[in-house]
Structure formats: C-alpha cells, structure tokens
C-alpha cells in the first residue's frame, strides 16, 4: 500500500478518508484535521461556525495521562499555540501516581508548562470521597474534575480549557443523549462551549479525529501514555455504544463524522431554544464562588464538607 500523498510505503490506512499515509504525511494529515477542528464546526449554511480559539490565546489543556490528551497537547504546541497542561491528582493509590509520572515526564521532555491540582490537599481525595458517599464514585469524580478544571482555567486567567475528547467520545455521547432524548445535554454538546459568567470556555480540538487516528499519531510521535483503567471503573464509559458505532462505521465508513457534523449543523439549534426557557437561576457558591443553582454551597463544596464531617452527602 502506498501513501496517497508521496507514494512512499504507507503505515496507516483510513477507510473513512479513503486514504493511506506514510508516517510523515500522516502527521500532516493529523495536524490539518486539528486545524480544521479549531476553525470550528460547520453552521447550517455549510460555512464554518465560530473558531474554538485563536493564536495567542492562553489554553489550559486537561491532561489525564491518556494518549488523547497528550496527543492534543503536543499537536497544539507544534502548531504554535500557547498551551499549559493541567493534571488533577485524584490520589487513587497506584493509578494516580503512575499517571502523574507519565504526564510530568511528557511535559519535561517537550519543555511544556504543567500545573498539578492535588485533590488530597483540597480535601477531595477520591478514595475518601468514595468511602463517604453513597453515590457511584465515577459520576462524583467526573463532577469534581470538571469543577477543578473550570476553577483552574478561571483563576489562572486562561482563555479556554481544552480536553482530549475525540470523535468516538463525542459520537457515543451524542448517541447516548439522543437515546434518552436528554434535551439539556443535547443543547450544549459540541466542540465549543462559550464562556459564561463563572464558566470558562471549553473546547475539544480533536473532535474530527477518531480514537484510532489519535492512537496512530501518539504511536508515531513516540508518546508514552498511561493506559491502566481506573480501579473504581474498570469498564470504560460508553463501551457498548462505541461498539455499536464501530460496527456502523465499518459498514458505512465516514458515517460517524457525518452524524456528528450533521447534528452540529442542523440538529443542535432545535434543542438550544428549549434550554433557554428551562434554565435555573445561578448564584455564586458561598465558599468557592462557582455558580450554583443548589443554594448556599455548590455541589463540590457540599461533597468537601461531607468528607470533612465524615457524613454522607
Ligand atoms: Fe474518577 Fe475513576 S473514579 S477516574
Ligand atoms: Zn463551591
């Protein structure tokens, strides 16, 4: 098999793009897809919507130690964007320190700035939260991480918070939200969530690239990553849905990207209108200042309180 661009021996074949690439041309392909992703999703008239961010803006990249977030950080820095990494240390024995070491080595090797938020120091170590709460720890952990990402982006004066969500993550989420007709989530799903008072701008520059495409990039760039699953949630989220979508994609290459782009261009707006009417009033949390609709303290500060008191939230 030959590279579609330079005719050298190909190392990656992509059915959805009906193409094969050598290592160098594949890296260029990946870079172009990220650039197109940053330019924004198509609008209803086929033109590009708002771009995710511009050169010179300060981007905080949430780094988990997985290949997607590290690939994102590396590619954004290669494209000359002003990036800083953020690692949230969940204090889960074994897994957190291993992921943290991978992220620290990656940033040191590429000369990239890194910030670490230590949940143990915040009174939110996940093993302690897990002991205290009756709810499944994964959803609480996700909520705490989103809270910490948002605070770090706002307090650090960043223009946007970037995460490594790829096309498979986005399509699985869209499919899941659609199966439940969850209009609240459907109204703001997408690669760009603009800033609002108390909320940083959130961006997902890898939205055009599949897990497979990102994994190939990480491999070709020699990115070492942390791949042990979380001990508290051995099944990756959306595993079943991703399997169904994988089979669909195998039968109809390119369908995943079409489905997601079609939603962004023509579906999403229908849900946005409903959410404007349904929005609950927000007020700042008495402890951390984050917007909340649930009274005196925000959800995360209530969890922190419950963990400190030894109670159950
Ligand atoms: Fe948060 Fe596993 S519970 S990563
Ligand atoms: Zn709070």
């Amino acid at each position: 098999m030959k590279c579609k661009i330079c005719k050298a021996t190909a190392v990656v074949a992509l059915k959805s793009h009906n193409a094969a690439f050598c290592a160098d041309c594949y890296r260029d392909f990946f870079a172009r897809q990220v650039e197109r992703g940053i330019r924004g999703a198509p609008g209803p008239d086929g033109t590009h919507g708002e771009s995710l961010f511009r050169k010179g803006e300060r981007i905080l990249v949430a780094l988990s130690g997985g290949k997607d977030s590290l690939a994102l950080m590396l590619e954004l820095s290669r494209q000359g964007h002003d990036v800083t990494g953020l690692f949230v240390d969940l204090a889960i024995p074994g897994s957190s320190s291993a992921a943290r070491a991978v992220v620290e080595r990656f940033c040191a090797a590429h000369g990239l700035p890194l910030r670490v938020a230590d949940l143990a120091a915040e009174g939110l170590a996940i093993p302690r939260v897990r002991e205290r709460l009756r709810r499944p720890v994964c959803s609480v952990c996700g909520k705490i991480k989103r809270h910490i990402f948002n605070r770090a982006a706002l307090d650090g004066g960043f223009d946007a918070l970037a995460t490594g969500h790829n096309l498979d993550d986005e399509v699985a989420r869209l499919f899941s939200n659609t199966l439940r007709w969850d209009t609240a989530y459907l109204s703001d799903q997408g690669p760009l969530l603009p800033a609002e008072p108390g909320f940083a701008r959130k961006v997902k520059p890898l939205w055009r690239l599949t897990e497979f495409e990102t994994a190939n990039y990480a491999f070709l760039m020699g990115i070492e990553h942390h791949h042990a699953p979380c001990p508290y949630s051995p099944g990756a989220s959306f595993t079943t849905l991703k399997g169904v979508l994988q089979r669909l994609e195998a039968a109809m290459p390119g369908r995943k990207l079409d489905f997601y782009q079609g939603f962004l261009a023509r579906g999403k707006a229908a849900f946005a209108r409903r959410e404007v009417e349904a929005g609950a009033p927000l007020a700042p949390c008495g402890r951390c200042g984050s917007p909340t609709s649930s009274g005196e303290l925000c959800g995360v500060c209530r969890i922190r309180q419950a963990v400190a008191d030894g109670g159950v939230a």
Side-chain angles (χ1 to χ4, degrees):
M1 204 171 29
K2 299 236 178 290
C3 171
K4 163 181 164 174
I5 311 291
C6 73
K7 311 294 175 226
T9 305
V11 293
V12 185
L14 300 178
K15 267 203 188 139
S16 54
H17 294 267
N18 197 17
F21 299 100
C22 71
D24 286 345
C25 293
Y26 184 75
R27 281 189 288 257
D28 292 346
F29 159 82
F30 188 88
R32 278 196 309 278
Q33 293 298 323
V34 174
E35 278 168 9
R36 283 183 70 180
I38 294 170
R39 260 185 266 140
D45 51 2
T47 58
H48 270 288
E50 207 181 328
S51 66
L52 275 49
F53 49 86
R54 294 176 194 290
K55 280 270 164 66
E57 289 195 303
R58 293 181 64 228
I59 313 300
L60 185 65
V61 183
L63 299 177
S64 62
K67 56 186 164 11
D68 296 292
S69 57
L70 296 177
L72 170 63
M73 177 89 169
L74 183 59
E75 184 52 36
L76 291 184
S77 92
R78 281 165 61 92
Q79 294 189 13
H81 290 287
D82 180 347
V83 282
T84 298
L86 171 67
F87 178 75
V88 178
D89 190 326
L90 307 173
I92 298 174
S95 121
S96 295
S97 54
R100 181 171 175 163
V102 163
V103 169
E104 285 174 343
R105 274 201 299 275
F106 168 86
C107 288
H110 295 282
L112 296 167
L114 172 66
R115 298 184 178 197
V116 175
D118 220 321
L119 286 195
E122 299 251 355
L124 287 166
I126 294 300
R128 288 204 61 204
V129 171
R130 183 170 179 251
E131 275 165 34
R132 302 286 190 215
L133 302 190
R134 290 216 187 93
R135 283 173 277 163
V137 71
C138 292
S139 65
V140 177
C141 173
K143 181 187 175 103
I144 294 172
K145 280 191 280 198
R146 286 192 296 276
H147 175 93
I148 301 281
F149 291 161
N150 189 54
R151 288 255 51 100
L154 291 176
D155 297 345
F158 289 92
D159 295 295
L161 171 78
T163 54
H165 292 100
N166 58 42
L167 180 65
D168 293 283
D169 299 325
E170 287 299 280
V171 173
R173 179 172 298 276
L174 173 58
F175 196 28
S176 160
N177 290 338
T178 306
L179 287 175
R180 289 179 288 108
W181 291 114
D182 190 325
T183 55
Y185 282 113
L186 285 165
S187 74
D188 60 22
Q189 195 186 337
L192 167 66
L193 193 56
E196 281 178 52
F199 294 104
R201 187 194 326 163
K202 315 273 181 348
V203 295
K204 299 170 184 169
L206 298 185
W207 68 272
R208 298 182 55 84
L209 288 146
T210 64
E211 233 157 66
F212 175 75
E213 289 162 354
T214 307
N216 275 303
Y217 176 82
F219 175 75
L220 292 172
M221 297 304 282
I223 294 176
E224 173 209 6
H225 58 273
H226 175 73
H227 40 66
C230 166
Y232 302 147
S233 57
S237 59
F238 300 133
T239 311
T240 309
L241 290 182
K242 281 186 177 174
V244 170
L245 292 162
Q246 232 29 62
R247 289 202 292 282
L248 177 72
E249 180 74 13
M252 304 163 85
R255 200 68 191 156
K256 276 190 301 205
L257 187 56
D258 280 355
F259 177 55
Y260 189 53
Q261 292 203 113
F263 164 73
L264 296 172
R266 299 183 297 281
K268 184 174 163 169
F271 301 104
R273 279 194 294 278
R274 291 162 185 249
E275 287 319 301
V276 171
E277 292 152 23
L282 296 175
C285 163
R287 181 157 193 260
C288 74
S290 296
T292 176
S293 58
S294 57
E296 170 71 1
L297 291 181
C298 73
V300 170
C301 286
R302 282 206 311 275
I303 294 168
R304 193 193 323 258
Q305 191 73 53
V307 170
D309 295 349
V312 171

